[in-house]
């Protein structure tokens, strides 16, 4: 009997944890329904926006302002906004601010995070406490405006970059990622006579592509979607980024007049033009995100675990 019991025990499958058990069919069905509902809630509004931007203005009026599927598709709205007017100029401003701002913010964050991640750096703890203090107690709008004014950055593109050059959360994540790198690599490089700059460019940056991609995407999305700073600091409409022009189109129900045409104030904007601006402001992030999505788990979690 003892031998038989042992043989049965050997044939018995091991007990798996609860999270590895096969889900109940009702549970799987509920998950599938939830996924379908979420996809519909996300896809249908986006489809309506794209369809309205491609629809004929008469079809938009006939359908009450929104079109689910355009019967007579046309790119007239996109041709109008990309013909070199206000929207085209605002798009160039947003692209320039995003590229320059992302490069400057990523470079400043890398340098500061690397300095704070190195053990025994002079003034590392006080600077880190100061950084965390700004994270817990961010400056108000009035002090930030006064600082920008004293620096002479009002009504300039520098006002869209300098106040948000380094994000505290991104800095903490990148510092934690740098600290998770093997210290033996730095010790071996130091024995070979490498300087801190050499270790940063030849060791840290090549091994940190995941976190650099994630933080770079965070900065790019932040600069691309920013409109509040432009509304506060920029007075000249020709210097407005795309998101602020989009706000004027959608919320104010109008569009900015082209200064080169000699007109001033707001003009009425058709629904198709408004939705075309929305699509134009959304597409860049939608196109970039899938290529950087695979870095999210490795980049963010690795940097957030060790701080």
């Amino acid at each position: 009997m003892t031998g038989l019991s042992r043989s049965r025990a050997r044939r018995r499958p091991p007990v798996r944890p609860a999270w590895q058990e096969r889900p109940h069919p009702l549970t799987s069905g509920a998950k599938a329904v939830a996924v379908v509902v979420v996809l519909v809630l996300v896809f249908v509004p986006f489809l309506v926006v794209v369809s309205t931007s491609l629809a004929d203005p008469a079809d938009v009026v006939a359908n009450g302002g929104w079109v689910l599927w355009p019967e007579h598709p046309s790119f007239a709205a996109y041709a109008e906004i990309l013909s070199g007017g206000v929207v085209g100029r605002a798009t160039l401003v947003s692209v320039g601010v995003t590229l320059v701002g992302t490069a400057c913010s990523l470079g400043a964050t890398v340098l500061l995070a690397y300095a704070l991640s190195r053990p025994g750096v002079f003034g590392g703890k006080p600077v880190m406490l100061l950084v965390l203090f700004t994270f817990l107690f961010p400056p108000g709008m009035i002090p930030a405006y006064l600082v920008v004014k004293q620096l002479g950055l009002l009504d300039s593109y520098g006002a869209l970059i300098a106040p948000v050059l380094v994000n505290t959360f991104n800095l903490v994540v990148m510092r934690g990622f740098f600290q998770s790198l093997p210290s033996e690599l730095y010790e071996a490089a130091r024995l070979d006579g490498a300087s801190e700059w050499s270790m940063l460019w030849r060791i840290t940056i090549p091994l940190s592509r995941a976190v650099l991609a994630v933080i770079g995407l965070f900065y790019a999305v932040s600069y691309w979607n920013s409109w509040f700073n432009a509304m506060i600091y920029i007075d000249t409409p020709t210097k407005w980024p795309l998101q602020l022009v989009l706000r004027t189109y959608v919320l104010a129900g109008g569009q900015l007049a082209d200064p080169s045409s000699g007109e001033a104030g707001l003009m009425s904007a058709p629904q198709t033009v408004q939705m075309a601006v929305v699509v134009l402001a959304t597409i860049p992030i939608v196109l970039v995100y899938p290529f950087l999505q695979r870095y999210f788990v490795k980049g963010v979690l690795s940097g957030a675990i060790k701080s």
Side-chain angles (χ1 to χ4, degrees):
M1 294 297 294
T2 304
L4 182 60
S5 301
R6 291 179 178 176
S7 61
R8 290 179 177 177
R10 294 192 188 98
R11 291 196 301 267
R12 185 181 303 170
V15 179
R16 294 185 297 179
W19 59 84
Q20 294 183 356
E21 293 291 339
R22 293 181 179 179
H24 194 273
L26 293 178
T27 304
S28 301
K31 292 180 179 180
V33 172
V35 171
V36 172
V37 171
V38 172
L39 289 177
V40 170
L41 293 177
V42 173
F43 180 73
V44 171
F46 187 75
L47 176 62
V48 170
V49 170
V50 176
S51 299
T52 304
S53 68
L54 296 174
D56 187 81
D59 296 337
V60 175
V61 175
N63 288 273
W66 302 100
V67 177
L68 183 60
W69 190 260
E71 297 180 1
H72 306 89
S74 173
F75 290 93
Y78 293 94
E80 179 179 347
I81 64 177
L82 295 176
S83 60
V86 176
V87 177
R89 187 184 301 107
T91 302
L92 294 178
V93 171
S94 291
V95 171
V97 170
T98 300
L99 293 178
V100 176
T102 301
C104 295
S105 295
L106 198 58
T109 305
V110 167
L111 294 177
L112 185 56
Y114 178 78
L116 295 177
S117 66
R118 303 304 299 148
V121 63
F122 177 77
K125 290 185 178 181
V127 173
M128 191 62 196
L129 291 176
L130 181 61
V131 170
L132 295 177
F133 181 83
T134 60
F135 183 72
L136 298 175
F137 303 97
M141 182 175 62
I142 295 178
Y145 181 86
L146 294 177
V147 170
V148 173
K149 182 179 180 180
Q150 291 296 326
L151 294 176
L153 297 177
L154 289 179
D155 202 24
S156 66
Y157 298 128
L160 305 180
I161 299 176
V164 291
L165 185 63
V166 177
N167 182 274
T168 307
F169 174 79
N170 296 338
L171 175 64
V172 172
V173 170
M174 187 172 292
R175 172 180 176 269
F177 190 93
F178 289 168
Q179 287 181 329
S180 65
L181 298 178
S183 58
E184 292 79 7
L185 296 176
Y186 297 101
E187 295 176 359
R190 188 174 290 106
L191 291 176
D192 291 338
S195 61
E196 292 291 340
W197 283 103
S198 298
M199 290 188 290
L200 173 63
W201 289 107
R202 298 183 180 181
I203 298 178
T204 305
I205 292 181
L207 295 177
S208 306
R209 294 178 180 175
V211 71
L212 291 177
V214 174
I215 300 303
L217 180 61
F218 285 169
Y219 277 125
V221 172
S222 176
Y223 280 113
W224 181 262
N225 291 332
S226 178
W227 61 271
F228 188 72
N229 287 344
M231 185 179 66
I232 296 176
Y233 304 132
I234 305 298
D235 297 328
T236 306
T238 55
K239 297 181 180 180
W240 284 2
L242 180 62
Q243 300 300 334
L244 188 54
V245 174
L246 172 61
R247 179 180 180 272
T248 304
Y249 268 78
V250 177
L251 297 183
Q255 66 185 37
L256 292 172
D258 192 350
S260 60
S261 63
E263 300 176 357
L266 295 174
M267 300 182 298
S268 61
Q271 190 80 356
T272 55
V273 176
Q274 295 179 8
M275 295 304 103
V277 177
V278 173
V279 174
L280 182 64
T282 307
I283 282 181
I285 303 301
V286 175
L287 295 179
V288 172
Y289 179 80
F291 296 99
L292 301 179
Q293 184 181 9
R294 61 192 182 98
Y295 294 108
F296 266 66
V297 175
K298 182 179 179 181
V300 175
L301 293 183
S302 299
I305 291 176
K306 184 175 181 180
S307 59

